[in-house]
């Protein structure tokens, strides 16, 4: 693969991801309904009311990129969202290496997103580093919990120039 082809591949990657993310949650629900399968994730039908920061005004996503659950998208629409195996978590992930309540994403009033390990057995990793304390999430961060690999994305707006 030549330099131009590699450059084009990397330039198109964000466009491909954005296109994939737009309706992956709906596709997942439709797939499960048609095939009579249970969903591995629970996506809330009616998001709880949560006022996002006026300064950023952005929502966030966690997208599963590992083989099991690939494309599953979690829309972070609450000030505190727990990820884990337990059914009362906001985001339930079917991964035997996850704790019942593994980690949490919180949104502060200023609109900053943070990731925190909830004393999980197998730890939480942010950009290949073991999470020792609550840490700020930024666009494109890689989050690994158990065998599940995710990326963190913020809502974007098109440039109107």
């Amino acid at each position: 693969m030549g330099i131009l082809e590699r450059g084009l591949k990397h330039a198109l990657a964000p466009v491909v991801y954005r296109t994939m993310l737009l309706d992956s949650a709906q596709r997942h629900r439709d797939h499960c309904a048609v095939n009579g399968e249970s969903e591995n994730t629970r996506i809330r039908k009616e998001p709880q009311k949560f006022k996002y920061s006026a300064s950023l005004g952005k929502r966030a996503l966690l997208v599963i990129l590992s083989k099991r659950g690939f494309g599953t998208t979690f829309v972070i629409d609450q000030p505190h969202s727990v990820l884990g195996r337990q059914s009362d978590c906001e985001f339930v992930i079917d991964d035997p290496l996850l704790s019942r309540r593994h980690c949490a994403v919180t949104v502060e009033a200023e609109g900053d997103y943070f990731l925190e390990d909830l004393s999980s057995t197998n730890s939480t990793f942010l950009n290949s580093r073991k999470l020792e304390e609550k840490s700020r999430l930024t666009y494109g961060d890689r989050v690994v919990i158990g065998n599940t690999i995710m990326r963190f994305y913020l809502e974007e707006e098109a440039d109107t120039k």
Side-chain angles (χ1 to χ4, degrees):
M1 184 180 294
I3 293 173
L4 284 174
E5 292 167 325
R6 277 195 303 258
L8 183 60
K9 180 180 174 183
H10 291 296
L12 290 177
V15 174
V16 171
Y17 277 122
R18 266 187 247 125
T19 303
M20 178 188 75
L21 298 176
L22 290 177
D23 65 344
S24 65
Q26 186 59 48
R27 283 195 316 261
H28 179 69
R29 284 193 294 271
D30 292 345
H31 169 80
C32 290
V34 168
N35 295 312
E37 298 172 3
S38 66
E39 294 182 42
N40 289 335
T41 61
R42 188 181 71 212
I43 300 173
R44 294 182 185 273
K45 303 283 186 216
E46 297 276 331
Q48 293 181 355
K49 297 204 185 247
F50 174 65
K51 186 174 182 178
Y52 292 93
S53 167
S55 63
L56 290 179
K58 297 184 180 191
R59 294 175 291 177
L61 302 172
L62 276 173
V63 181
I64 296 180
L65 299 177
S66 49
K67 186 174 182 177
R68 187 178 196 164
F70 179 80
T72 302
T73 304
F74 302 111
V75 179
I76 302 168
D77 61 357
Q78 300 176 58
H80 184 80
S81 300
V82 176
L83 290 84
R85 288 184 295 115
Q86 196 164 297
S87 63
D88 69 343
C89 292
E90 283 73 24
F91 304 129
V92 178
I93 301 173
D94 184 22
D95 181 340
L97 293 180
L98 293 189
S99 295
R100 289 184 295 265
R101 297 175 56 82
H102 196 96
C103 64
V105 176
T106 55
V107 188
E108 294 193 350
E110 300 80 33
D112 294 324
Y113 290 81
F114 289 87
L115 181 66
E116 178 179 17
D117 186 73
L118 300 176
S119 301
S120 63
T121 302
N122 293 318
S123 303
T124 300
F125 295 86
L126 178 59
N127 298 323
S128 301
R129 292 189 177 148
K130 185 177 177 180
L131 203 60
E132 301 291 345
E133 59 185 20
K134 188 175 181 178
S135 297
R136 183 184 314 270
L137 286 165
T138 58
Y139 188 92
D141 277 347
R142 184 174 191 254
V143 177
V144 178
I145 54 176
N147 282 326
T148 304
I149 301 167
M150 298 177 285
R151 287 275 178 189
F152 175 79
Y153 295 104
L154 289 170
E155 180 178 30
E156 296 182 26
E157 293 181 12
D159 292 333
T160 54
K161 291 184 180 181

